[in-house]
């Protein structure tokens, strides 16, 4: 009798380019065919293309399988949109999430249209997974500022997030992400994440690029 849970692990590392949505879609299809219990995205990226990140977000949002973003050091820019689209976010100690500036290939800031698209995309994605949309918007928009946030029904005075002030994008460390409910837990490796999720008996399938 097969009792061990199948856990699919998909690395999203380095630059997010148009090859990664294909990898993610293939991994999700394999996991669905294989009746996997969980898909963990092992994320370490400074970001990349917004269109690629949006395709990845759509693919992750469309599966019924539980999805976990394991931020293994950093999920910056487009990486934070992908992380927020997962059901839960786990981070290693000393990791960071945020700073979703929308820049083009030459590094110059994109138009207000792309900024506002990304801002609302981030907010909607955060809300869908029960996370604070104001923090998500502040990861994109340095003009937003706030002093208080409601996290799980409690109003918290925010004095420890640099990007809450105008002129700065929000980036959260692991501790702040946990405090403000953006991250659900922490672990140094996939085994620790699985153990926090109370999954003891499992088989890991790593889906790499072809």
């Amino acid at each position: 009798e097969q009792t061990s849970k199948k856990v699919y692990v998909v690395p999203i590392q380095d630059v997010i380019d148009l090859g990664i949505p294909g990898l993610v879609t293939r991994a999700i299809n394999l996991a669905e065919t294989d009746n996997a219990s969980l898909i963990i995205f092992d994320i370490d990226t400074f970001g990349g293309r917004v269109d690629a990140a949006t395709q990845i977000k759509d693919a992750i949002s469309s599966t019924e399988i539980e999805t976990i973003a394991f931020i293994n050091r950093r999920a910056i820019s487009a990486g934070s949109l992908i992380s927020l689209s997962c059901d839960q976010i786990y981070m290693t100690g000393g990791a960071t999430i945020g700073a979703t500036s929308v820049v083009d290939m030459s590094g110059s800031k994109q138009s207000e249209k792309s900024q506002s698209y990304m801002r609302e995309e981030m907010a909607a994605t955060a809300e869908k997974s029960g996370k604070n949309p104001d923090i998500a918007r502040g990861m994109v928009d340095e003009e937003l500022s706030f002093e208080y946030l409601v996290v799980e029904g409690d109003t918290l005075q925010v004095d420890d997030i640099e990007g809450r002030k105008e002129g700065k994008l929000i980036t959260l460390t692991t501790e702040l992400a946990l405090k403000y409910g953006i991250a659900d837990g922490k672990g140094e490796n996939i085994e620790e994440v699985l153990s926090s999720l109370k999954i003891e008996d499992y088989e890991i399938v790593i889906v790499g690029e072809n």
Side-chain angles (χ1 to χ4, degrees), residues 117-187:
Y117 167 79
M118 190 61 164
R119 191 169 56 229
E120 293 320 308
E121 192 79 350
M122 288 281 287
T125 304
E127 244 169 346
K128 193 172 171 222
S129 58
K131 299 185 189 317
N132 188 294
D134 295 321
I135 291 184
R137 280 194 190 94
M139 289 180 175
V140 184
D141 187 350
E142 67 267 329
E143 276 148 35
L144 282 188
S145 61
F146 47 80
E147 277 182 53
Y148 295 93
L149 285 174
V150 176
V151 178
E152 289 176 8
D154 293 332
T155 303
L156 299 182
Q157 181 168 11
V158 183
D159 49 17
D160 47 7
I161 299 179
E162 249 313 271
R164 75 183 193 288
K165 301 196 282 280
E166 208 164 313
K168 289 207 178 286
L169 291 172
I170 290 181
T171 301
L172 299 178
T173 59
T174 302
E175 297 312 319
L176 288 174
L178 286 165
K179 172 176 171 181
Y180 290 107
I182 291 290
D184 299 278
K186 79 192 238 198

